[in-house]
Amino acid sequence: EAGVAQSPRYKIIEKRQSVAFWCNPISGHATLYWYQQILGQGPKLLIQFQNNGVVDDSQLPKDRFSAERLKGVDSTLKIQPAKLEDSAVYLCASSPIAGPSYEQYFGPGTRLTVT
Amino acid sequence: SQQGEEDPQALSIQEGENATMNCSYKTSINNLQWYRQNSGRGLVHLILIRSNEREKHSGRLRVTLDTSKKSSSLLITASRAADTASYFCATAGYSTLTFGKGTMLLVSP
């Protein structure tokens, strides 16, 4: 089966610019996650969707980050405006069933550099 | 904040040796999962151990969980160069996973 797809793989922008990342989860997976991974650290959950509804966005900096999952399939994560500290790898993951009792399948990530 | 804390931060061994990584956490968990991350395959799920389990095996992997000490260990036996990666423990609460900072494992031929 095809894995989680993400694009772009790399993005370099200047601070205060906007950027968007796209994720296509594994077919049939109802739950989708966006994580931020800063160099040298583990992934940090930004937002979790169940179908097209938000389950948890408590760690999403809502003044600059936004995410949507239209029709319960693809998802986009946007940063506007970007700050230097947003430089990180943004990982998308999906799971067939909601809840932390099931493994998550991760995409390759988008490496964002903010200059 | 990240709940899991892996120890050691980095580990260097020779092929054929065993590698042990530890994870400590602070609050009650539903389960604990181990993931591996390398440049070639990204972040991959290795094994899940539930809070009512004490030990679990998968191939060359052995995971233990001690909920009284709030700690877990991952043992990789007969390591290979291909095991070179970062290993993360992730604690599962009610609805989400929280990852630690990881252990970087280097296996030399």
Side-chain angles (χ1 to χ4, degrees):
Chain A
E1 88 190 330
V4 176
Q6 290 187 249
S7 68
R9 293 294 307 277
Y10 305 90
K11 189 74 176 178
I12 301 174
I13 61 172
E14 295 182 351
K15 60 183 179 184
R16 291 187 289 274
Q17 286 187 325
S18 301
V19 65
F21 311 126
W22 173 82
C23 173
N24 182 234
I26 293 173
S27 177
H29 281 198
T31 309
L32 185 147
Y33 311 82
W34 282 103
Y35 289 87
Q36 179 193 59
Q37 186 175 22
I38 293 172
L39 186 64
Q41 298 185 20
K44 183 184 85 171
L45 179 69
L46 293 176
I47 190 167
Q48 176 184 345
F49 292 95
Q50 175 66 18
N51 294 312
N52 60 350
V54 176
V55 174
D56 186 337
D57 64 355
S58 58
Q59 298 194 85
L60 186 74
K62 298 179 185 66
D63 58 332
R64 298 183 301 105
F65 286 64
S66 64
E68 61 181 6
R69 189 182 185 197
L70 299 176
K71 300 180 181 179
V73 182
D74 294 6
S75 177
T76 57
L77 176 70
K78 298 179 182 178
I79 307 175
Q80 180 179 9
K83 293 184 176 181
L84 295 177
E85 58 260 37
D86 298 332
S87 293
V89 175
Y90 291 84
L91 297 165
C92 178
S94 70
S95 177
I97 301 171
S101 297
Y102 305 93
E103 74 175 274
Q104 296 180 17
Y105 297 80
F106 284 80
T110 295
R111 183 176 299 276
L112 174 67
T113 302
V114 182
T115 63
Chain B
S1 64
Q2 294 178 319
Q3 176 171 221
E5 290 288 340
E6 291 90 342
D7 172 65
Q9 289 187 331
L11 181 60
S12 183
I13 60 174
Q14 300 289 120
E15 267 192 327
E17 294 181 338
N18 296 341
T20 299
M21 289 159 264
N22 302 296
C23 171
S24 59
Y25 57 94
K26 297 178 181 176
T27 63
S28 297
I29 60 172
N30 179 291
N31 65 72
L32 187 145
Q33 302 178 29
W34 286 90
Y35 284 79
R36 179 182 65 207
Q37 185 176 42
N38 59 32
S39 58
R41 293 196 61 196
L43 197 62
V44 175
H45 180 269
L46 294 176
I47 196 165
L48 180 154
I49 186 165
R50 303 190 187 283
S51 60
N52 61 352
E53 296 176 311
R54 293 296 168 258
E55 187 171 313
K56 203 162 184 180
H57 297 255
S58 176
R60 293 183 297 111
L61 306 180
R62 172 179 170 256
V63 169
T64 61
L65 178 64
D66 186 335
T67 53
S68 66
K69 295 181 179 179
K70 291 186 169 58
S71 67
S72 174
S73 67
L74 171 67
L75 169 67
I76 304 174
T77 60
S79 62
R80 307 166 182 168
D83 294 327
T84 294
S86 290
Y87 291 80
F88 296 91
C89 70
T91 52
Y94 177 70
S95 63
T96 60
L97 284 181
T98 303
F99 286 81
K101 292 185 177 181
T103 292
M104 291 181 60
L105 173 66
L106 173 64
V107 182
S108 301

